[in-house]
Amino acid sequence: AQSVSQHNHHVILSEAASLELGCNYSYGGTVNLFWYVQYPGQHLQLLLKYFSGDPLVKGIKGFEAEFIKSKFSFNLRKPSVQWSDTAEYFCAVNRPGRRALTFGSGTRLQVQP
Amino acid sequence: GAVVSQHPSRVICKSGTSVKIECRSLDFQATTMFWYRQFPKQSLMLMATSNEGSKATYEQGVEKDKFLINHASLTLSTLTVTSAHPEDSSFYICSASGLDGRQETQYFGPGTRLLVL
């Protein structure tokens, strides 16, 4: 079965620090990859997505992610985090024939001022 | 654009009653909507896929007679938790599938917190 792993469960950073959140998936075929963010008390919002093409994807709010097919990874990065980035981050995957998303367990990011 | 609403946002009910949750795509049509369940400090787990005009497809382990899904129009799907029990207390989130350019993307509603006493 398809699975998504997020190894960082809770990350604490100071403002201006760089961020990288890991995401690995288990499916070997063609996949679509997503990062969603859930700010406290709010609903899931799409940060960025990868379907095909340039493996380096830029999203909203300065986030980017790189798809590395050989590593089955889609890590999320931001060069300099802000206090307002404090949120829960979810990596998700779907594929042709399985449109529903499979989510990772989420990473709680806490940015300290 | 691509806004999805859910109603109610929060509901408390007595054990044995039924609760209906609505999911609406406000500014786009969605032939497919998805229902997820999220337990505290856990990820979203897919419950079922709701297709407009046809029966929902349920994930393994999800009781279709307990969680009734109706997708009567291109902008509305409903989830009814029948004969709710305390173990059904959870956060229920829907998403609607829409096109962003040529890429199918899911847009999420704000969720409904259900507490069964």
Side-chain angles (χ1 to χ4, degrees), chain A residues 21-100:
Chain A
L21 301 182
C23 173
N24 289 90
Y25 61 93
S26 63
Y27 184 66
T30 301
V31 292
N32 302 317
L33 298 150
F34 306 81
W35 275 98
Y36 284 87
V37 60
Q38 189 173 32
Y39 297 103
Q42 296 189 29
H43 63 283
L44 282 162
Q45 299 175 37
L46 181 67
L47 269 181
L48 47 78
K49 58 187 175 180
Y50 172 82
F51 279 66
S52 63
D54 189 344
L56 184 61
V57 180
K58 294 193 183 298
I60 61 172
K61 305 187 181 188
F63 286 92
E64 65 178 30
E66 184 175 12
F67 170 52
I68 302 179
K69 190 174 182 179
S70 61
K71 294 185 178 180
F72 298 90
S73 69
F74 190 56
N75 292 355
L76 180 71
R77 299 195 292 249
K78 185 170 184 177
S80 176
V81 294
Q82 301 172 321
W83 177 78
S84 57
D85 293 323
T86 294
E88 187 95 21
Y89 291 80
F90 293 95
C91 180
V93 174
N94 71 2
R95 54 185 169 85
R98 172 75 177 168
R99 296 161 65 200

Side-chain angles (χ1 to χ4, degrees), chain B residues 49-51 53-58 69:
Chain B
T49 301
S50 171
N51 298 298
S54 64
K55 290 183 179 181
T57 304
Y58 290 82
I69 291 172

Side-chain angles (χ1 to χ4, degrees), chain B residues 4-107:
Chain B
V4 177
S5 70
Q6 273 183 250
H7 179 78
S9 58
R10 190 185 301 261
V11 58
I12 302 173
C13 69
K14 291 182 179 179
S15 187
T17 60
S18 294
V19 175
K20 179 186 281 189
I21 303 169
E22 292 186 348
C23 177
R24 293 182 185 272
S25 56
L26 298 185
D27 50 2
F28 66 104
Q29 293 183 330
T31 55
T32 304
M33 291 184 175
F34 302 89
W35 287 95
Y36 297 84
R37 186 171 177 177
Q38 186 179 28
F39 291 101
K41 299 186 179 181
Q42 294 188 32
S43 188
L44 283 76
M45 300 298 294
L46 178 69
M47 297 176 66
T49 301
S50 171
N51 298 298
E52 187 267 336
S54 64
K55 290 183 179 181
T57 304
Y58 290 82
E59 294 299 293
Q60 193 172 10
V62 178
E63 299 176 58
K64 62 180 181 180
D65 294 330
K66 178 151 188 73
F67 298 99
L68 299 178
I69 291 172
N70 183 276
H71 195 155
S73 77
L74 288 172
T75 59
L76 173 65
S77 175
T78 60
L79 168 68
T80 301
V81 184
T82 62
S83 187
H85 287 93
E87 59 265 28
D88 299 324
S89 298
S90 191
F91 194 51
Y92 293 87
I93 304 173
C94 74
S95 71
S97 193
L99 286 177
D100 178 15
R102 295 175 60 183
Q103 296 171 343
E104 184 177 347
T105 302
Q106 287 187 35
Y107 300 95

